Amino acid sequence: LGYENQRFNFGLNSEGTEVITYLKDSVDYVKGHWHHVAGVYDGAEMRLYVNGKLRATSAAQKGAIRYPPQALFELAAYHDDDEFNRLAGGLYEAAVWSRALKGSEVEALFKGKADKFPLPPQPVEIVSGPFVGWAGRTTVKVEWELEQSMTARVVFRSSGGQKLEAKVASSA
């Protein structure tokens, strides 16, 4: 369970196959924010959860986990015979369960800590616009539609480089 570039991943090799299967999140994580990451394997399916949500699955591995003849139990690092890569970040808590958790249990674990580690800001989709038009000789009207109602901040730069900023509370 770890990350590559800016995406969480979960790798596992079972006794039924010769190669490791890696599940990779399809979304980059947000640097500077805590994330709840869980890898689950029940002998038939691998699942990767990020912040309580199922992000990737695979049925490529079957059976018992293939453990190396000798290995360290190590947290916050990847360590083998010729590599030692430490986590560039922090680790708050780790748990290894004796059984595969259900998705609802992973979600409940995440929600149980959510007040301590709020989610990073989520991108907001612009549904329509922005549209810019002159409302007068010295006035510009800017309009857009978002997927949800919220306060927006619009920043302009004049031809001389001066920063002009406006905060707007949008209506529903």
Side-chain angles (χ1 to χ4, degrees), residues 56-77:
T57 65
S58 174
Q61 300 292 326
K62 300 281 186 227
I65 297 172
R66 180 190 306 262
Y67 292 101
Q70 138 182 0
L72 300 169
F73 182 80
E74 198 158 14
L75 299 172

Side-chain angles (χ1 to χ4, degrees), residues 90-139:
L91 181 65
Y92 175 77
E93 182 177 60
V96 178
W97 292 75
S98 61
R99 63 177 179 81
L101 298 182
K102 296 175 186 174
S104 58
E105 293 173 305
V106 174
E107 183 179 16
L109 289 169
F110 164 69
K111 286 182 176 179
K113 302 279 186 207
D115 61 329
K116 291 184 180 187
F117 306 110
L119 286 173
Q122 301 298 306
V124 175
E125 184 177 332
I126 297 176
V127 177
S128 177
F131 303 106
V132 180
W134 290 101
R137 189 166 165 86
T138 60
T139 307

Side-chain angles (χ1 to χ4, degrees), residues 1 13 16 19 22 37 42 54 68 72 76 80-81 92 94 99 124 130 140 143 153 161:
L1 187 60
N13 182 223
V19 297
Y22 285 97
V37 184
D42 62 7
L54 180 63
L72 300 169
D80 64 14
D81 292 339
Y92 175 77
R99 63 177 179 81
V124 175
V140 174
E143 294 180 297
R153 185 179 75 153

